[in-house]
Amino acid sequence: MKKFNIRKVLDGLTAVSSPSPSPQLGAKENELIPETLQSEHFQLCKTVRHGFPYQPSSMAFDPVQKILAIGTQSGALRLFGRPGVECYCQHESGAAVIQLQFLINEGALVSALADDSIHLWNLRQKRPAVLHSLKFNKERITFCHLPFQSKWLYIGSERGNIHIVNVESFTLSGYTIMWNKAIELSSKAHPGPVVHISDNPMDEGKLIIGFESGIVVLWDLKSKRADYRYTYDEAIHSVAWHHEGKQFICSHSDGTLTIWNLKSPAKPIQTITPHGKQPKDGKKPEPCKPILKVEYKTTRAGDPFMIFSGGLSYDTVGRRPCLTVMHGKSTAVLEMDYPIVDFLTLCETPYPNDFQEPYAVVVLLEKDLVVIDLAQNGYPIFENPYPMMIHESPVTCCEYLADCPVDLIPALYSVGSRQKRQGYSKKEWPVSGGNWGLGTQSYPEIIITGHADGSVKFWDASAIMLQVLYKLKTAKVFEKARCKEEKPSTEIVDEDPFAIQLMSWCPESRMLCVAGVSAHVIIYRFSKQEITTEVVQLLELRLQHELNDLESPEGGGDQTPAPPTPSTSPSPQTAGPQTHTSSSSNSSDGMRDNVPCLKVRSSPLKQSPGYQVELVVQLVWVSGEPPQQISSLAINSCYGLVVFGNSNGLAVVDYLQKTVLLNLGTVELYGSNDPYQRQPRSPRKSRQPSGGLCDINEGSATSEDRCKSPTSDNRDNSFSRSRSSSVTSIDKETREAITSFYFCETYTRKADGGLTPSLWVGTSLGTVLAISLNMPPAGEQRLLQPVIVSPCGTLFRLKGSVVRMAFLDSTGSILPSPFEPWYEPNAPANGEERDKVRKRRPVSVSPSTSQELNENQYAVVCSEKQAKVVILPSQTCVFKHNITETSFVLRADVVQMNAGICVACFCANGHIMTLSLPGLRPLLDVNYLPLTDMRIARTFCFTNLGQALYLTSPTEIQRITYSQEVCENLQEMLGELFTPVETPEAPNRGFFKGLFGGGAQSLDRMELFGETGAGKAPRSLAQHIPGPGGIEGMKGAASGIVGDLARARIALDERGQKLSEVEERTAAMMASADSFSKHAHEMMLKCKDKKWYQF
């Protein structure tokens, strides 16, 4: 947890400018709103990480606890129990995890890293921590093996040596198996790194060591020598035992499997090339790809299972990666979607010397986790209950809503449950360990992700879990190119033409609007009934504004340019309003004009229950120039309007009447009061603002204050654009992009006596403008009379691009945009539902008191550089705070906390800040994470009650909280990974095996590997590092005083046991000393009288 940067907070406090002097508003009026939020209400911490572990490298499973662990190439560790129980930890070094080994049923895990360190994790606490680490200095770790119920870990190295570590104390034993001692004269060359170590299931004193070159050695631990050596002329990748310990199997680099009898080292008893073509003349089959791993599992009732990855023949070009399951005479080749990283066979018993009874195979792929049911015919896969397919198509944008309407999640779930695939295994998901947390957080949360393939996914994110609810495919609206040659030349992006760029959602009315990279906007309604749409409603727009007559754009009036009259074409299908500044007549023959980037489908569209297309709006090419991508978007269900903007201007669309109400260039919004002298296609010489603007003294007239950043200009993965305005592109300066919208009922002019519906617009030059909306009466009149929209000109300006706008009432509470409650749009024509719909009035959420009493409102505007609070209707700035001088704000949201409201900001320099409202006092400033990737900028979002999220990798969502209350309750909400479970009983040796020997041979490893038997290891070999989780681990191992007492009792028992052993040994030594002295005395008496020559 990073500490607050107190200096920055103090700087921030001094930066809060005093309220602008204004005669009608004194300090008393500011004091009317007491601010309840204080800095102690805020604390920043990570809560939970969802999704598939990015770039996985290793995997392990605890068969008793039923917990799965996955390690990654960046040193992350993800632990999974039953659905809803998962945990994320990180190795400090960030080195790749090359192997994981559970201490089965002990609540601990050993990880081996590519930097030659091993770590012991304590899983008996909700947030696992490292208890011990051991860093090897002279050897590179290649393989680890920890036998079941043993505390001695075997570590194989690149040099071919094996070292032994006590996992309790994390100290090295003096016992080492050196490579030259292991192979002796069997090979003239070095055998290569150790690729496998395992003990004989029936005799713990015998160890099999596999060397990469193809040599396998059976090592006798007691006599410290090799019993047998098995040599094969192909490199070894893995080794597996038969449970009776008389045979083992090796997988090789030429696609062969060799089966060896333990006591016949001369040659394998069987050599098979499962995927090789068998020549008829008895020659060796042609070589195949390497078999990277093999597992050999036995069953009581039937044939054993031989499961391996790789080994396909080289002529299967384009064949997907495969897992092969050989059972008896049948061979099943299971194709995977991605390369296989590792696989594990899950068995009924943890004991290696018993029949294994395999029931499932967990396959870790590069981008997926697949579990195969071995007990059912056809080997079906289990349905994965974890939210691992966030990245099914790359995430391009995110929205997060906490405390949304309670009926939303059930509604989305009911339509989404029909989309589920069939054919999964009927059995329960086999990874079922751990227990859920006792979270008290009860409000519903929804995450919406937009994807590169045009899909939109809705997720239930309540109580730190994540579950997919519903998936919407927006690409269905468009015609798909059948082959590459057919690809339309009108597309403005080379790949992913349907990718979602922006989403606007009204949770109460369930209206959804998405904007895609091909300059298209789609409006959706939510319905529980299936419909077939004969013709998809389409509007095409020319949103291209040439800056010709800039000093005095058309449109009279002081601050209100006359809006161009929209073309009212009777057929919405062809409505393409022309603005007065562009004409299509000048397009020459080969030039693209009036064509959209994508083709909307002409055939009828069957729409399942869920989100159904209401209207598609497309921007078209103008005179050979492609449309600019959409940079801002908003929908309002109460007014029935959608508005979107780009670097050319904005368009307001009435989606109920399917008409364009306004199509204006950004410059035209200003009217005659454009503060910038724009001279297109040539460098600008002067920057004097023209026209009388309110609040111009705080405006961004000087070049130092100004900062360009249309959010859509940069879709690459680095922040390469310059943030200083001295080097801004002239073209971008003349093109002022629309960056933010807000629909509300407020005062649009200083002289307004009452609240009117309006749309507020923020631009990339920091200007805030308003457009008043004159709405017809609700009901049938709304569909017949036009909505009249009229720009009101500039209200005020800020430094940098406008990021977020919101409104507060006179008591300082948030004024949400007005909305209409959801109703079923496809209700029967004569039903009661239809009548209800007709009578329904939109809900205006402005408090009635403020409408009657005509009280003030506060507009909150946050830009890339600063935040302002402006009182309405007087338009006086009462509070201003400079958020950052050197960086810029990427995301800002006005959020509701339990104790009040605040502005939450995320800056490009990694700082997360919160400011009080309306006073803009800095409450939190934490340097959380440097912006390393455009993906974080594109997906970071704050929501109510102290929740936030971003995509930390292409496959994972990281959720964080900035609320002190959530941080305190987090421990309760997290699930328990470790649960006390009895270890199954060891298999019976059987009467005859007990009588005549056989059965499992045990080994006193302490005697062999302990300091007394083996001495100390050289200090220079490895360095012991106590982990940060040492003390915490002791606490976490068993919570509460009962656990402490139990632990103390166990320790005493062990101590007592050791003392009694010492006592017994002492007594035995005394007895032997007695007998020795007796014998010596007898001898003396016998020899006493004899002379020397008599002996």
Side-chain angles (χ1 to χ4, degrees):
M1 178 68 217
K2 289 192 174 135
K3 290 191 172 71
F4 287 90
N5 189 330
I6 195 75
R7 190 171 58 75
K8 295 227 166 184
V9 175
L10 290 172
D11 288 352
L13 286 165
T14 53
V16 180
S17 63
S18 57
S20 311
S22 97
Q24 79 272 26
L25 192 113
K28 283 182 188 171
E29 201 150 345
N30 289 343
E31 288 162 15
L32 289 178
I33 302 180
E35 289 185 2
T36 48
L37 279 177
Q38 303 301 327
S39 55
E40 56 264 24
H41 287 113
F42 295 93
Q43 185 187 336
L44 197 70
C45 71
K46 291 180 179 178
T47 52
V48 66
R49 186 174 286 207
H50 302 294
F52 181 76
Y54 183 56
Q55 293 180 327
S57 54
S58 56
M59 174 172 64
F61 183 70
D62 185 325
V64 181
Q65 285 287 320
K66 303 242 186 300
I67 294 172
L68 183 74
I70 296 175
T72 74
Q73 288 177 28
S74 58
L77 197 56
R78 293 281 299 279
L79 295 144
F80 298 92
R82 65 179 61 196
V85 177
E86 52 181 282
C87 177
Y88 157 74
C89 328
Q90 177 70 45
H91 290 92
E92 273 182 31
S93 67
V97 181
I98 54 172
Q99 208 177 337
L100 293 169
Q101 292 262 301
F102 273 102
L103 276 68
I104 293 171
N105 206 23
E106 297 283 336
L109 175 76
V110 172
S111 57
L113 270 57
D115 65 355
D116 309 307
S117 61
I118 56 169
H119 307 267
L120 178 68
W121 289 85
N122 176 18
L123 309 182
R124 292 182 177 229
Q125 55 197 68
K126 290 195 170 184
R127 292 224 151 163
V130 173
L131 290 170
H132 300 281
S133 299
L134 199 61
K135 177 87 169 72
F136 281 76
N137 300 320
K138 296 180 177 177
E139 298 253 29
R140 309 234 48 192
I141 298 172
T142 54
F143 193 86
C144 297
H145 170 63
L146 180 68
F148 178 45
Q149 292 180 325
S150 161
K151 63 178 182 182
W152 297 95
L153 173 73
Y154 301 109
I155 294 176
S157 74
E158 199 172 50
R159 288 186 186 175
N161 303 327
I162 292 177
H163 303 282
I164 297 166
V165 174
N166 182 325
V167 288
E168 286 177 357
S169 59
F170 247 53
T171 50
L172 268 170
S173 162
Y175 191 116
T176 308
I177 304 171
M178 305 304 283
W179 68 270
N180 50 355
K181 192 93 182 351
I183 66 162
E184 283 184 339
L185 300 173
S186 63
S187 165
K188 290 175 186 173
H190 188 279
V194 174
V195 293
H196 181 84
I197 310 167
S198 60
D199 47 343
N200 185 324
M202 285 297 181
D203 187 352
E204 295 172 349
K206 300 284 199 284
L207 204 62
I208 260 217
I209 306 161
F211 294 98
E212 193 179 64
S213 64
I215 297 174
V216 176
V217 173
L218 183 69
W219 182 263
D220 188 315
L221 288 165
K222 283 182 189 167
S223 64
K224 300 186 183 178
R225 62 182 183 81
D227 279 359
Y228 299 104
R229 295 182 183 90
Y230 314 82
T231 310
Y232 192 70
D233 54 4
E234 287 292 339
I236 288 179
H237 284 283
S238 76
V239 183
W241 280 102
H242 184 283
H243 84 271
E244 287 175 350
K246 292 173 185 172
Q247 286 183 353
F248 62 89
I249 182 168
C250 302
S251 74
H252 298 276
S253 56
D254 63 346
T256 57
L257 295 169
T258 54
I259 300 172
W260 300 79
N261 256 349
L262 205 59
K263 295 185 178 176
S264 313
K267 63 170 192 170
I269 55 164
Q270 197 182 354
T271 305
I272 44 178
T273 311
H275 294 295
K277 288 176 183 160
Q278 301 293 336
K280 288 174 184 170
D281 51 6
K283 288 181 186 171
K284 276 180 79 174
E286 51 186 73
C288 292
K289 292 175 186 173
I291 294 179
L292 299 175
K293 183 174 179 180
V294 64
E295 293 208 337
Y296 192 65
K297 302 295 178 188
T298 52
T299 58
R300 244 183 200 91
D303 295 306
F305 281 87
M306 212 181 286
I307 302 163
F308 60 89
S309 60
L312 293 178
S313 71
Y314 281 102
D315 59 7
T316 50
V317 181
R319 185 91 177 263
R320 293 193 293 181
C322 292
L323 185 84
T324 308
V325 180
M326 295 171 75
H327 183 226
K329 289 180 180 175
S330 76
T331 301
V333 180
L334 309 173
E335 288 198 348
M336 302 291 157
D337 290 340
Y338 305 101
I340 296 170
V341 175
D342 196 3
F343 74 88
L344 292 170
T345 311
L346 308 190
C347 302
E348 296 289 355
T349 176
Y351 293 94
N353 57 359
D354 194 8
F355 284 100
Q356 298 297 285
E357 304 295 348
Y359 59 90
V361 184
V362 181
V363 191
L364 178 63
L365 307 176
E366 273 182 13
K367 292 185 178 177
D368 199 4
L369 182 76
V370 175
V371 183
I372 298 156
D373 184 351
L374 288 179
Q376 266 180 263
N377 286 340
Y379 304 132
I381 64 168
F382 288 86
E383 185 175 9
N384 191 332
Y386 307 130
M388 281 196 172
M389 291 315 284
I390 290 168
H391 62 287
E392 192 175 13
S393 167
V395 176
T396 49
C397 57
C398 267
E399 290 300 329
Y400 186 13
L401 286 101
D403 209 10
C404 52
V406 288
D407 57 345
L408 258 181
I409 289 174
L412 287 163
Y413 181 79
S414 69
V415 293
S417 56
R418 305 175 199 197
Q419 298 177 326
K420 288 200 173 164
R421 280 175 52 201
Q422 302 299 314
Y424 289 114
S425 167
K426 303 281 188 293
K427 290 188 179 163
E428 288 288 307
W429 179 251
V431 185
S432 56
N435 278 323
W436 292 308
L438 305 164
T440 50
Q441 193 176 305
S442 56
Y443 48 85
E445 297 171 75
I446 288 180
I447 293 170
I448 312 174
T449 53
H451 298 264
D453 64 354
S455 59
V456 176
K457 287 183 186 172
F458 293 79
W459 306 82
D460 176 5
S462 312
I464 69 169
M465 292 195 186
L466 193 70
Q467 182 187 6
V468 72
L469 291 169
Y470 171 73
K471 179 179 173 182
L472 166 68
K473 294 177 181 172
T474 66
K476 281 185 175 177
V477 174
F478 301 103
E479 300 278 5
K480 282 196 175 70
R482 284 183 187 82
C483 59
K484 286 191 176 173
E485 288 73 43
E486 250 188 75
K487 203 170 186 187
S489 54
T490 52
E491 285 187 12
I492 52 175
V493 284
D494 294 336
E495 50 187 42
D496 302 326
F498 309 116
I500 306 292
Q501 222 171 3
L502 297 166
M503 299 181 289
S504 175
W505 191 44
C506 173
E508 289 82 10
S509 66
R510 303 181 194 169
M511 290 298 297
L512 173 70
C513 186
V514 298
V517 291
S518 299
H520 62 277
V521 172
I522 313 174
I523 299 146
Y524 288 92
R525 267 188 202 280
F526 185 84
S527 170
K528 291 181 178 176
Q529 298 184 12
E530 186 177 297
I531 56 163
T532 300
T533 306
E534 293 300 323
V535 178
V536 174
Q537 298 281 286
L538 171 67
L539 283 174
E540 289 181 354
L541 245 86
R542 292 170 72 91
L543 191 58
Q544 208 82 347
H545 296 274
E546 291 303 316
L547 306 170
N548 298 328
D549 185 13
L550 277 179
E551 291 301 320
S552 55
E554 287 181 33
D558 182 17
Q559 277 199 344
T560 317
T565 45
S567 82
T568 47
S569 157
S571 156
Q573 196 68 22
T574 55
Q578 306 283 317
T579 56
H580 56 281
T581 47
S582 60
S583 66
S584 56
S585 56
N586 60 359
S587 59
S588 62
D589 278 356
M591 205 180 279
R592 298 190 193 103
D593 192 50
N594 267 350
V595 283
C597 304
L598 299 172
K599 190 166 185 262
V600 172
R601 66 184 284 163
S602 48
S603 53
L605 175 66
K606 182 182 168 187
Q607 305 207 64
S608 307
Y611 275 102
Q612 298 171 349
V613 184
E614 174 85 355
L615 177 66
V616 180
V617 184
Q618 285 183 290
L619 299 186
V620 295
W621 287 64
V622 175
S623 311
E625 214 179 305
Q628 294 295 310
Q629 288 185 348
I630 290 160
S631 57
S632 51
L633 175 74
I635 188 165
N636 186 279
S637 59
C638 178
Y639 305 148
L641 302 179
V642 161
V643 59
F644 56 91
N646 61 13
S647 56
N648 286 327
L650 64 82
V652 182
V653 172
D654 180 341
Y655 65 78
L656 297 174
Q657 293 189 26
K658 315 279 190 292
T659 56
V660 180
L661 301 173
L662 189 67
N663 179 355
L664 273 187
T666 318
V667 182
E668 296 165 292
L669 278 171
Y670 285 99
S672 57
N673 291 325
D674 184 4
Y676 309 111
Q677 289 192 331
R678 297 165 214 252
Q679 295 170 357
R681 317 285 180 256
S682 66
R684 189 163 50 249
K685 293 181 186 74
S686 69
R687 274 230 179 103
Q688 256 59 52
S690 62
L693 274 163
C694 62
D695 205 9
I696 193 68
N697 57 334
E698 295 177 4
S700 42
T702 59
S703 64
E704 288 80 39
D705 289 350
R706 302 261 299 289
C707 194
K708 280 302 302 164
S709 73
T711 49
S712 64
D713 283 345
N714 194 330
R715 286 191 75 240
D716 65 356
N717 276 340
S718 64
F719 270 106
S720 55
R721 64 178 184 222
S722 162
R723 302 301 312 176
S724 76
S725 45
S726 53
V727 236
T728 40
S729 118
I730 290 156
D731 183 45
K732 287 280 186 292
E733 281 291 9
T734 55
R735 280 185 166 178
E736 182 178 3
I738 307 293
T739 57
S740 183
F741 292 117
Y742 198 86
F743 283 101
C744 58
E745 292 199 6
T746 185
Y747 310 95
T748 49
R749 295 179 178 83
K750 288 183 183 179
D752 274 359
L755 302 171
T756 53
S758 62
L759 166 65
W760 285 48
V761 181
T763 77
S764 57
L765 294 189
T767 311
V768 176
L769 306 116
I771 296 172
S772 76
L773 310 169
N774 190 345
M775 304 301 299
E780 284 180 21
Q781 290 302 305
R782 172 64 186 85
L783 300 173
L784 301 171
Q785 294 183 28
V787 177
I788 297 162
V789 287
S790 46
C792 306
T794 310
L795 298 171
F796 45 86
R797 305 230 309 284
L798 292 85
K799 288 183 198 174
S801 173
V802 177
V803 178
R804 182 71 61 208
M805 296 182 285
F807 289 82
L808 313 179
D809 66 14
S810 57
T811 65
S813 303
I814 289 182
L815 275 175
S817 294
F819 60 84
E820 180 181 68
W822 178 78
Y823 62 89
E824 174 54 67
N826 301 319
N830 54 357
E832 291 174 23
E833 191 76 23
R834 181 64 64 174
D835 295 338
K836 281 185 200 166
V837 172
R838 281 208 185 112
K839 289 172 190 165
R840 187 183 297 277
R841 280 189 63 80
V843 176
S844 168
V845 289
S846 309
S848 54
T849 50
S850 66
Q851 284 179 316
E852 287 163 21
L853 303 172
N854 233 1
E855 288 182 353
N856 294 319
Q857 286 184 353
Y858 296 90
V860 181
V861 185
C862 186
S863 78
E864 285 182 324
K865 293 285 182 185
Q866 60 180 191
K868 282 187 180 181
V869 174
V870 176
I871 202 158
L872 301 174
S874 66
Q875 296 183 8
T876 312
C877 176
V878 283
F879 296 106
K880 182 173 86 170
H881 175 68
N882 291 326
I883 297 168
T884 175
E885 292 296 334
T886 53
S887 185
F888 56 101
V889 174
L890 283 163
R891 175 81 185 210
D893 288 284
V894 176
V895 291
Q896 180 79 50
M897 302 287 283
N898 274 334
I901 51 171
C902 65
V903 184
C905 311
F906 173 54
C907 287
N909 61 7
H911 282 254
I912 288 178
M913 294 177 248
T914 59
L915 306 170
S916 71
L917 282 176
L920 299 178
R921 286 178 301 116
L923 298 171
L924 172 79
D925 182 352
V926 178
N927 187 358
Y928 172 67
L929 107 152
L931 187 69
T932 50
D933 205 309
M934 188 67 191
R935 179 185 58 253
I936 298 170
R938 214 172 41 229
T939 57
F940 200 105
C941 41
F942 296 98
T943 186
N944 295 333
L945 304 165
Q947 307 283 0
L949 67 80
Y950 59 95
L951 243 79
T952 183
S953 74
T955 63
E956 295 164 291
I957 286 175
Q958 177 67 57
R959 284 163 75 176
I960 60 174
T961 181
Y962 48 96
S963 155
Q964 170 70 36
E965 192 184 345
V966 178
C967 285
E968 281 175 3
N969 295 331
L970 187 60
Q971 200 64 16
E972 280 180 28
M973 292 163 66
L974 293 171
E976 298 265 7
L977 277 168
F978 179 79
T979 47
V981 181
E982 284 284 318
T983 302
E985 278 187 28
N988 273 334
R989 287 177 67 186
F991 174 73
F992 290 106
K993 278 189 178 173
L995 199 61
F996 303 114
Q1001 302 290 313
S1002 62
L1003 171 78
D1004 187 349
R1005 292 189 177 99
M1006 189 71 206
E1007 197 179 305
L1008 265 179
F1009 305 146
E1011 212 171 293
T1012 47
K1016 283 188 175 180
R1019 279 192 172 180
S1020 59
L1021 184 61
Q1023 165 194 0
H1024 177 255
I1025 306 154
I1031 300 156
E1032 217 184 313
M1034 287 307 291
K1035 287 183 198 158
S1039 54
I1041 196 148
V1042 181
D1044 290 337
L1045 285 170
R1047 227 182 4 263
R1049 197 180 308 123
I1050 291 164
L1052 278 170
D1053 286 354
E1054 283 176 359
R1055 197 170 157 208
Q1057 212 172 325
K1058 280 174 186 164
L1059 282 169
S1060 65
E1061 281 170 19
V1062 170
E1063 244 172 81
E1064 280 165 27
R1065 269 190 220 150
T1066 313
M1069 279 167 78
M1070 280 168 74
S1072 69
D1074 275 358
S1075 71
F1076 180 80
S1077 71
K1078 207 183 286 175
H1079 283 300
H1081 188 68
E1082 283 170 7
M1083 196 78 174
M1084 187 198 70
L1085 289 172
K1086 202 183 281 180
C1087 303
K1088 192 175 158 189
D1089 301 326
K1090 286 189 179 179
K1091 305 290 183 207
W1092 65 270
Y1093 51 82
Q1094 291 176 311
F1095 282 104

